[in-house]
Amino acid sequence: MANQEKYQERLKRINDAIALKEPDTIPFIPIVQCYPFLQAGYSMADILYDWDLSKTRKSLFQYLDDYQPDAMFGHGYVYAGQGPILEKGMPKTMRWAGEPGAAVDKNSIHQFIEFPVLEDDEFEQFFTDRSGWVMNVGMPRTNGILEPMAGFKVRDMGVYNSYTAVAAAVSTPEFKKMLETLWEINDMNNDLSPRLRQLDADIEAYGYPVLATGGAGVPYDGYSDFLRGTLDGLADLYERPDQVMDYCKEQLEGVLEMIKIQGKMMPGKHVFMALHKGMDGFMSDEHYRTFYWNHLQIIINAIIENGMVPYIYTEGKYDSRLECLKEVPAGKVVYHFEEVDMAQAKKILGDTACISGGFPVYLLDYGTKEQVVNEAKRLIDTCAVGGGFIFETSCGMDLAKRENVEALMDTVRNYGKK
């Protein structure tokens, strides 16, 4: 069968599951992450510094040939080829394989570092002089390359003949070096980005849909992840709820505008949303509805209205949130679960949304083939009846044993037929 025919067959299988139909066989879409590259004999450091993407390309197409999944998913999160760019930008919120100093193991996925970027005594400036705070505080605090911005005080330059003050400010050795490096980063991005896009286009031409090409985020996640950190972000729900809500409403407008743009650029595609801070126990049910689900529901509806598919990736335990997740249009949404009672998820969401995930990757790392097969069958028996189920691993496979992944593939393909 020609590649395009296989592509349409796989896409139909996925779309049938999303529409709560029972496809010819359960869609099998493992979250690959590091697995294809490590199986091909490369380290993740090799992949992050794979500027021409030859190692990345070889690894991914070998994975497709070996496992023939129904879509490619998870490969875009590994920052392939971006190591040289990261070195120049010097982010203070991230460490990666191959980074000078070896803070992260050469075979690890990148690691994010969270800290309060917006400090307690800066809220007044943040809400009254956002540009000044971002320019002089936020950007220098999170990016090494942008540290010279801390001294760029526009408010001290006046208006009349301000060009002379600006000229002096940007002519220091530190500022000149920053600008030159930023130009280099822009040139590097313009060089790498087309190759990354072409790689995805070639994967689709080979017969495999590339999922989750769009992106969006819950405003509270942005507040907690990038401004206040987890602990301060949660404390703020009690100590300054009005300011948290003001920020979330402000960010929601930007997210909705971005969704409109994506809808025009990639109709029919999946929009990926990772839910970082909505898991069980992180906030009360009341806070979850007010500061989290309230905005997530609006975003989900906007994605649907703009002709795309919301792919909602829940992180951590999500048992107590299932009733909220039900409040969406039927047959339009995919909910991926990392850790949840899948029987309850099927019971509550089965007539509303497609569910996926729930297969624990630790079994692929440390379990036996028998354990892998038995758990896969249990999950299929629990979730597949009546349709609306995509078989995905709970998260990235990374260090999985090859024989276990093969056993998983064979089980889903044979046991999961209609």
Side-chain angles (χ1 to χ4, degrees), residues 18-48:
I18 295 171
L20 308 182
K21 300 175 183 177
E22 197 166 349
D24 59 334
T25 187
I26 297 170
F28 178 57
I29 311 175
I31 301 177
V32 296
Q33 206 161 269
C34 303
Y35 181 77
F37 313 112
L38 300 180
Q39 285 294 309
Y42 299 116
S43 70
M44 291 312 297
D46 293 331
I47 298 304
L48 266 89

Side-chain angles (χ1 to χ4, degrees), residues 78-368:
V78 301
Y79 283 74
Q82 297 184 49
I85 297 175
L86 290 169
E87 280 192 29
K88 288 186 177 295
M90 297 183 288
K92 302 176 184 180
T93 55
M94 180 178 168
R95 295 292 178 266
W96 63 93
E99 177 186 9
V104 171
D105 184 84
K106 68 177 183 178
N107 285 325
S108 172
I109 194 70
H110 53 275
Q111 301 295 314
F112 289 110
I113 300 170
E114 182 187 276
F115 58 88
V117 178
L118 174 62
E119 297 183 352
D120 288 347
D121 61 353
E122 295 169 354
F123 272 80
E124 182 178 356
Q125 182 189 6
F126 182 79
F127 280 102
T128 60
D129 181 19
R130 182 69 55 82
S131 296
W133 183 88
V134 169
M135 183 184 302
N136 302 140
V137 181
M139 292 195 300
R141 198 170 276 169
T142 54
N143 301 274
I145 186 59
L146 299 178
E147 287 179 352
M149 294 298 296
F152 191 76
K153 307 292 186 182
V154 175
R155 63 180 179 271
D156 298 331
M157 294 180 181
V159 176
Y160 184 72
N161 285 345
S162 56
Y163 62 87
T164 57
V166 172
V170 302
S171 296
T172 64
E174 296 81 12
F175 216 99
K176 284 183 175 179
K177 182 179 180 181
M178 180 192 75
L179 291 176
E180 290 170 355
T181 305
L182 289 174
W183 294 334
E184 292 174 6
I185 290 173
N186 187 59
D187 290 342
M188 294 171 76
N189 267 323
N190 289 338
D191 187 0
L192 180 63
S193 294
R195 288 199 296 278
L196 289 168
R197 290 193 295 271
Q198 187 61 51
L199 175 58
D200 280 353
D202 291 345
I203 290 172
E204 293 212 317
Y206 202 53
Y208 296 90
V210 175
L211 297 188
T213 50
V218 179
Y220 179 80
D221 280 340
Y223 181 84
S224 180
D225 291 347
F226 306 125
L227 284 179
R228 293 287 284 161
T230 300
L231 295 180
D232 287 342
L234 291 173
D236 289 344
L237 297 179
Y238 296 89
E239 297 173 1
R240 43 173 64 95
D242 291 342
Q243 289 173 304
V244 176
M245 183 57 74
D246 287 345
Y247 175 82
C248 289
K249 288 179 178 179
E250 169 192 308
Q251 293 303 302
L252 179 62
E253 293 181 8
V255 173
L256 296 178
E257 185 59 35
M258 180 177 65
I259 289 169
K260 290 180 182 178
I261 295 171
Q262 291 184 69
K264 295 176 182 177
M265 295 176 60
M266 49 181 204
K269 290 292 188 177
H270 293 202
V271 178
F272 177 82
M273 291 185 67
L275 309 187
H276 293 162
K277 303 299 170 65
M279 64 188 71
D280 293 353
F282 260 49
M283 58 179 71
S284 68
D285 291 343
E286 180 183 356
H287 277 155
Y288 180 80
R289 278 198 170 273
T290 302
F291 291 96
Y292 207 93
W293 175 247
N294 177 34
H295 301 131
L296 174 56
Q297 184 184 37
I298 293 171
I299 294 169
I300 288 173
N301 287 330
I303 293 170
I304 296 168
E305 290 165 3
N306 282 274
M308 299 176 291
V309 178
Y311 180 95
I312 312 302
Y313 187 105
T314 70
E315 296 192 1
K317 286 182 66 63
Y318 237 78
D319 294 295
S320 69
R321 313 304 192 195
L322 294 175
E323 292 293 345
C324 284
L325 298 186
K326 188 176 177 65
E327 299 169 3
V328 296
K332 302 291 186 180
V333 182
V334 180
Y335 287 123
H336 171 97
F337 293 104
E338 183 178 16
E339 186 179 354
V340 79
D341 181 337
M342 291 296 283
Q344 276 296 103
K346 180 68 173 181
K347 180 179 178 181
I348 295 172
L349 299 172
D351 62 352
T352 302
C354 176
I355 61 174
S356 67
F359 184 89
V361 291
Y362 68 79
L363 284 181
L364 297 176
D365 293 352
Y366 307 111
T368 64

